[in-house]
Amino acid sequence: MGTYAIEFNDGKGGLRRTVELSGQAYDDAFAEFQRLKAAAIAERSRARVAGGLPDVVTIQEGKALNLTCNISGDPVPVVTWLKNDKEITSDEHCILKFESGKFASFTITGVNISDSGKYSILVKNKYGTESGDFTVSVFIPDQASKSK
């Protein structure tokens, strides 16, 4: 609150402007400051997939696939994995891990054709949600290349 002044001077003359910040003007300015501060905290703290995932993975049937990405957010985000927009859970074939609140890993122990599809990691906390998507394409080597 108070009276603020700004002066402009070009060497020949000057200009002075004053504004009194009190009452409703002060309340409005302080409310806007609080809103911007909260938005900055939310942006800095929101859940993020920080990188590490390719757009497309092409892999031979029978091989192991292991992908890891960095996750950030405060509070630590909840991580959900999806295949073709349906939630998947960890099992012996598809191992899903989230370690130290920072590293999410996706492992398929022995890839087969049915593993082809669109996969997503969804991270969420009270400040926001973000996803990272990748496509897995599984191929079977042809008989000619097996005989070589």
Side-chain angles (χ1 to χ4, degrees):
M1 282 198 247
T3 301
Y4 295 86
I6 187 166
E7 294 181 5
F8 298 95
N9 192 329
D10 65 1
K12 297 178 186 172
L15 179 64
R16 178 181 169 100
R17 295 285 188 236
T18 61
V19 64
E20 184 176 334
L21 193 54
S22 63
Q24 187 62 43
Y26 175 79
D27 292 343
D28 292 347
F30 189 72
E32 179 66 4
F33 165 74
Q34 293 292 74
R35 187 191 68 74
L36 291 172
K37 182 179 173 185
I41 290 169
E43 180 60 25
R44 184 174 57 244
S45 301
R46 75 178 172 82
R48 283 193 172 90
V49 179
L53 294 175
D55 292 331
V56 177
V57 175
T58 302
I59 188 166
Q60 181 178 325
E61 185 176 47
K63 301 288 184 182
L65 173 63
N66 185 19
L67 299 174
T68 302
C69 64
N70 298 322
I71 303 299
S72 65
D74 184 21
V76 172
V78 173
V79 175
T80 305
W81 289 92
L82 308 171
K83 177 183 178 189
N84 298 326
D85 298 322
K86 294 181 182 167
E87 187 172 344
I88 57 175
T89 57
S90 191
D91 58 25
E92 291 177 4
H93 178 68
C94 185
I95 302 165
L96 309 172
K97 293 183 182 177
F98 184 44
E99 300 172 324
S100 304
K102 296 180 181 180
F103 309 107
S105 65
F106 171 88
T107 303
I108 299 177
T109 53
V111 176
N112 59 55
I113 290 295
S114 66
D115 294 317
S116 293
K118 176 190 163 209
Y119 290 83
S120 301
I121 182 171
L122 187 66
V123 295
K124 180 178 183 177
N125 69 9
K126 71 179 185 177
Y127 294 114
T129 302
E130 187 170 291
S131 67
D133 304 322
F134 60 97
T135 301
V136 173
S137 177
V138 180
F139 70 92
I140 301 172
D142 62 355
Q143 294 300 330
S145 65
K146 282 186 179 179
S147 63
K148 288 183 182 178

